[in-house]
Amino acid sequence: MIVSITTDRKAGGLANSLVSYSKALDLIGQQHLVLIPETAPVIKTLETLDNVETIKLNKTKLVFHIVTRFLFSKKLKNALKDCDLILVHNAKFMKHFKRFKHKVAYVNHTGKLRYTVHEAFNIFITSAGLKKFLKAYPNNKSTNKVISHGFDLSENSSQSSAISSEDSDKTLNIMSAGRFLEKKGFQTLIDAASILKKTHANIHIYLYGEGPFLPNLKQQAKSLALENVIFMGWHANLHEEFNKYDAYCSPSLMESFGLATGEAMMHGLPVIATKTDGALEMFPETTETKTEDYGGILVDFTAPEQLAHAMLRLGDDALSKKMGENAKKNIHDNFSLERLSQDLEAFIAEVNQHK
């Protein structure tokens, strides 16, 4: 049995990872016990999975049990003692699991390095995250691994994307999604839309999400008199939405691993993304390959001219179609649930060797 512990109550990346980990663990015959705040919306999804048991607690009570090392809960204490692996999803709590250092791992969802120095295990989502850690702490005593996210390919619709070469004058519809925060870079995407407006490009950008920066973004679009930017609101499930679009754009200034980007690729959408750790992991460039070979065009941070140019490039139907095919193959070959399950199985075996 594998135990996951999180105090996070939000929908989004960490929550989605709990679901993916659960499905991947099921593929290798592992049960997954998840300790989680009782108000976390992901509980509903987790409880539909046969190999998952959730222990739902008030967040304050859950934190209390963590900091008191589960002294006051025999059930939780025994679960930790008997399990094969403990996955801690909030770095600041790692110090409370020192006695389990032979089988506890911090899953670094954000790429941040606070609380990552210990004698247990670190799981990084990207190679860039691990590289930063090793540069900052070359003499660390932890065991460090890269295990990227895995996507459930069964959630992909068989419907193809909206790209068609039959109408050369059609509008190119580009989707972007996420929580509206300044660090997500949507303001740069709106600036790119302004550049496209001046060139009279037939490109529309659809923004999905909500968040505290939304009023700023709407005011920015209004002040630029943009009719090519459409705010779509929050959608809990984007899988049906992806098939309405020709491409996906991630303008983020900081992203450890873009789950929405991966889902768009799974649906065969070519991607334009800034050079975040996650994008560099998904779209590597070598002496023998280009990022387009993996389904993506990478641009610099806060570079609206580059974003606009990349979107204009995707007006080439042949390029868009090929990149969409490459994106889908990239997810299938490198970021599937099966790949995640193999990585987790190998990691669990390594943990068992340390006991």
Side-chain angles (χ1 to χ4, degrees):
M1 180 179 68
I2 310 303
V3 175
S4 277
I5 301 172
T6 180
T7 58
D8 193 84
R9 293 176 290 185
K10 300 176 183 177
L14 195 158
N16 291 335
S17 292
L18 287 173
V19 175
S20 297
Y21 268 54
S22 297
K23 291 179 177 180
L25 289 170
D26 190 38
L27 292 177
I28 56 175
Q30 284 281 0
Q31 296 297 115
H32 194 196
L33 176 65
V34 182
L35 278 62
I36 191 167
E38 60 189 358
T39 57
V42 73
I43 290 173
K44 184 176 180 180
T45 302
L46 288 171
E47 292 186 338
T48 66
L49 304 177
D50 292 338
N51 69 319
V52 174
E53 178 187 351
T54 59
I55 295 181
K56 305 174 286 291
L57 298 170
N58 173 278
K59 181 177 179 179
T60 302
K61 189 173 182 179
L62 177 55
V63 172
F64 169 79
H65 282 305
I66 292 172
V67 299
T68 58
R69 294 167 170 78
F70 301 94
L71 181 64
F72 300 98
S73 174
K74 185 176 181 180
K75 178 182 178 180
L76 298 180
K77 189 174 181 180
N78 287 338
L80 295 176
K81 179 182 176 182
D82 296 338
C83 70
D84 296 314
L85 172 66
I86 303 168
L87 298 174
V88 176
H89 296 267
N90 306 88
K92 64 182 180 180
F93 296 122
M94 279 295 291
K95 62 184 179 182
H96 302 296
F97 292 87
K98 290 181 179 178
R99 70 188 184 284
F100 295 115
K101 66 180 182 180
H102 60 287
K103 64 173 184 178
V104 65
Y106 164 52
V107 185
N108 191 323
H109 296 277
T110 65
K112 297 177 182 178
L113 301 184
R114 291 186 66 189
Y115 309 111
T116 52
V117 179
H118 46 68
E119 296 181 10
F121 296 86
N122 280 317
I123 295 176
F124 292 89
I125 307 299
T126 66
S127 300
L130 174 57
K131 187 179 295 185
K132 290 176 183 178
F133 173 77
L134 294 177
K135 182 177 181 180
Y137 305 107
N139 299 316
N140 73 89
K141 296 181 180 180
S142 53
T143 301
N144 308 294
K145 296 292 177 183
V146 175
I147 300 180
S148 293
H149 190 74
F151 294 89
D152 186 354
L153 301 181
S154 68
E155 295 179 347
N156 176 29
S157 168
S158 60
Q159 181 180 343
S160 60
S161 65
I163 295 170
S164 171
S165 59
E166 295 179 0
D167 183 1
S168 59
D169 295 325
K170 78 176 186 68
T171 301
L172 184 70
N173 294 312
I174 296 179
M175 175 184 182
S176 189
R179 184 159 171 75
F180 291 138
L181 303 171
E182 187 171 2
K183 68 179 182 180
K184 292 296 184 178
F186 290 106
Q187 62 272 26
T188 306
L189 186 53
I190 292 176
D191 284 337
S194 180
I195 294 172
L196 292 171
K197 176 187 175 184
K198 294 174 184 177
T199 67
H200 303 288
N202 199 11
I203 298 175
H204 286 177
I205 299 168
Y206 295 79
L207 303 181
Y208 284 75
E210 61 183 17
F213 205 60
L214 177 59
N216 304 66
L217 298 175
K218 286 188 172 181
Q219 179 58 39
Q220 181 186 1
K222 182 178 179 180
S223 66
L224 294 170
L226 298 180
E227 296 181 356
N228 57 348
V229 174
I230 300 95
F231 293 89
M232 301 297 291
W234 173 260
H235 285 57
N237 189 332
L238 294 174
H239 287 288
E240 292 184 3
E241 301 302 308
F242 288 120
N243 291 314
K244 301 175 182 177
Y245 296 96
D246 303 299
Y248 184 85
C249 183
S250 174
S252 185
L253 308 179
M254 181 187 300
E255 197 79 65
S256 57
F257 199 96
L259 297 183
T261 298
E263 291 174 350
M265 294 165 65
M266 189 171 73
H267 285 261
L269 293 185
V271 170
I272 300 166
T274 47
K275 297 174 182 176
T276 60
D277 288 354
L280 292 171
E281 190 80 13
M282 288 178 161
F283 310 112
E285 185 169 24
T286 68
T287 55
E288 298 179 354
T289 62
K290 299 179 180 179
T291 61
E292 289 91 334
D293 296 329
Y294 296 94
I297 298 173
L298 295 185
V299 301
D300 293 327
F301 298 112
T302 60
E305 298 86 358
Q306 292 184 27
L307 278 176
H309 178 69
M311 286 186 268
L312 288 169
R313 284 187 63 194
L314 291 181
D316 181 335
D317 286 337
L319 175 63
S320 293
K321 181 178 179 181
K322 182 60 178 176
M323 283 182 57
E325 292 171 350
N326 292 343
K328 200 168 187 177
K329 185 177 186 300
N330 185 6
I331 290 294
H332 183 275
D333 292 349
N334 302 306
F335 302 101
S336 65
L337 278 184
E338 287 75 16
R339 179 66 178 268
L340 175 59
S341 69
Q342 293 167 9
D343 290 343
L344 288 173
E345 186 172 37
F347 180 66
I348 293 168
E350 182 175 350
V351 170
N352 287 333
Q353 292 177 357
H354 282 74
K355 293 181 181 179

